[in-house]
Amino acid sequence: MTHGCGSIFRTTSAPGTGIFSDFSSIETMNISGVVQSFEPTTGKISYKTELMYYYSCSYPLEYMINYTQLNVSATSIIVEDNNGSFISTLSMKLFSDANYTQPLVIPQWGIELRTDVYVEIKATNLTRQYNVLLDRCYATISPLSSNSSIFNLFVSCSKDQFTNMIENGDSQRARFKFPAFRFIEHEKEPVSTYYIHCVIRLCERSTCSTFKHCAQRMKRSTLDASEVGITKAYTIISPKIITKAENVESKEQPIVVEKYNSDVGLGVGVGVLAFAFLIALIIAAVFYKRFRKH
């Protein structure tokens, strides 16, 4: 509980450490307080030492990586089961082709709207006993979904009409695709940025087909994962996706109104009259010379 037993709860944020210190940060929950001994003596004096224990515990909450300084198209997390029988790496990669061979390259100015984004979540170093099963995938403007707008690509068996599930629960990878979109909140911005979050479980191969049924998938959140052949949920976040706004140019051509310039018209008229007068003089001179000869 918040402030339970007189403890003080405080959340702090600090730069990360190690080789990622320049572009990462870690949020930590600190719980602190004091435990004081009870004095049973009812008199005015006591010969017992009073004891006070001060405590402070820190728990890391989120380790966030700022992908703006990383040119990557994939992320990964390390997972293990409850009894430590296996340790695996779950990775999310973005591709630009249906064969999942070309990593999606996102330029600084973003990708075009409706560009197909192919997503693959894959487990490595995982025993063949388990397959990868996606519970839910959604997009958020912020890497922290708690304080951001959310758009569901799919939840259990319900999915957005443009999301295409390609593979899920059949092997140690899951695949789907969706067309690049933008958040309405970014309608006045040149680009829209967001992240894809996927909630993943590892199911035993013998029971994965059961959990792929909608009725069972809706129930399993209340069941003991160790008894039903499925692990707890893990969440993995994609690198930043940038979609540029569509430039819609107006099809209407501006109407050009040509104005008649009276000065230009007058100049043209004077020039025509002067030319006619010159021709008349030449003709008159020719007739005059002929008249003199006769």
Side-chain angles (χ1 to χ4, degrees), residues 216-290:
Q216 291 294 329
R217 295 183 69 178
M218 296 299 292
K219 294 178 181 179
R220 72 165 173 257
S221 61
T222 61
L223 300 176
D224 185 353
S226 63
E227 294 181 0
V228 298
I230 195 165
T231 68
K232 64 180 182 180
Y234 304 94
T235 301
I236 189 169
I237 307 175
S238 76
K240 181 189 296 183
I241 297 176
I242 306 174
T243 304
K244 63 181 178 181
E246 188 175 24
N247 294 324
V248 181
E249 297 182 357
S250 175
K251 297 182 180 180
E252 295 181 359
Q253 296 296 328
I255 299 176
V256 179
V257 179
E258 295 184 358
K259 295 183 178 180
Y260 180 77
N261 192 317
S262 59
D263 293 337
V264 174
L266 180 60
V268 171
V270 172
V272 171
L273 292 176
F275 181 75
F277 180 73
L278 179 61
I279 296 299
L281 288 177
I282 294 173
I283 294 174
V286 171
F287 277 103
Y288 177 74
K289 289 182 177 180
R290 288 181 179 180

Side-chain angles (χ1 to χ4, degrees), residues 205-221:
R205 297 180 64 181
S206 59
T207 59
C208 279
S209 58
T210 303
F211 294 111
K212 291 174 64 175
H213 293 294
C214 296
Q216 291 294 329
R217 295 183 69 178
M218 296 299 292
K219 294 178 181 179
R220 72 165 173 257
S221 61

Side-chain angles (χ1 to χ4, degrees), residues 1-215:
M1 297 184 301
T2 304
H3 303 293
C5 302
S7 300
I8 299 174
F9 290 72
R10 181 178 292 108
T11 302
T12 59
S13 180
T17 59
I19 60 175
F20 301 112
S21 58
D22 292 337
F23 43 81
S24 64
S25 63
I26 185 169
E27 289 189 346
T28 303
M29 169 65 76
N30 183 272
I31 304 175
S32 61
V34 59
V35 177
Q36 188 172 0
S37 62
F38 174 71
E39 175 57 66
T41 305
T42 58
K44 294 184 178 181
I45 63 173
S46 174
Y47 293 98
K48 295 182 178 181
T49 304
E50 180 182 17
L51 299 178
M52 297 182 67
Y53 299 90
Y54 293 92
Y55 63 89
S56 177
C57 307
S58 295
Y59 302 92
L61 299 178
E62 297 281 351
Y63 197 89
M64 303 306 303
I65 295 180
N66 179 4
Y67 293 102
T68 58
Q69 299 187 31
L70 293 176
N71 185 18
V72 297
S73 60
T75 57
S76 62
I77 58 174
I78 297 177
V79 301
E80 61 179 338
D81 70 348
N82 295 331
N83 57 18
S85 62
F86 69 83
I87 297 178
S88 176
T89 301
L90 291 174
S91 62
M92 178 190 290
K93 295 182 180 180
L94 307 178
F95 295 89
S96 59
D97 66 313
N99 295 324
Y100 288 83
T101 57
Q102 300 296 324
L104 179 64
V105 178
I106 303 178
Q108 183 179 0
W109 53 88
I111 58 178
E112 296 283 350
L113 285 170
R114 296 177 292 279
T115 298
D116 283 334
V117 179
Y118 295 85
V119 184
E120 179 184 70
I121 292 90
K122 188 176 182 180
T124 56
N125 300 323
L126 178 64
T127 175
R128 297 184 62 184
Q129 179 183 357
Y130 291 93
N131 286 346
V132 172
L133 181 66
L134 299 181
D135 267 350
R136 176 190 182 193
C137 285
Y138 57 96
T140 64
I141 293 176
S142 168
L144 292 177
S145 58
S146 58
N147 57 352
S148 174
S149 298
I150 293 178
F151 171 70
N152 286 313
L153 295 171
F154 65 86
V155 180
S156 186
C157 296
S158 174
K159 67 181 183 68
D160 176 70
Q161 60 177 329
F162 297 111
T163 301
N164 184 6
M165 297 300 301
I166 300 173
E167 183 179 354
N168 191 21
D170 300 321
S171 66
Q172 294 189 352
R173 71 185 183 192
R175 289 175 169 178
F176 67 94
K177 75 170 184 175
F178 67 93
F181 54 86
R182 64 180 180 87
F183 276 86
I184 299 298
E185 295 180 37
H186 296 153
E187 62 180 346
K188 296 183 180 180
E189 302 294 332
V191 297
S192 180
T193 60
Y194 48 91
Y195 302 82
I196 303 299
H197 304 247
C198 283
V199 180
I200 309 162
R201 294 178 188 263
L202 302 178
C203 58
E204 293 184 4
R205 297 180 64 181
S206 59
T207 59
C208 279
S209 58
T210 303
F211 294 111
K212 291 174 64 175
H213 293 294
C214 296

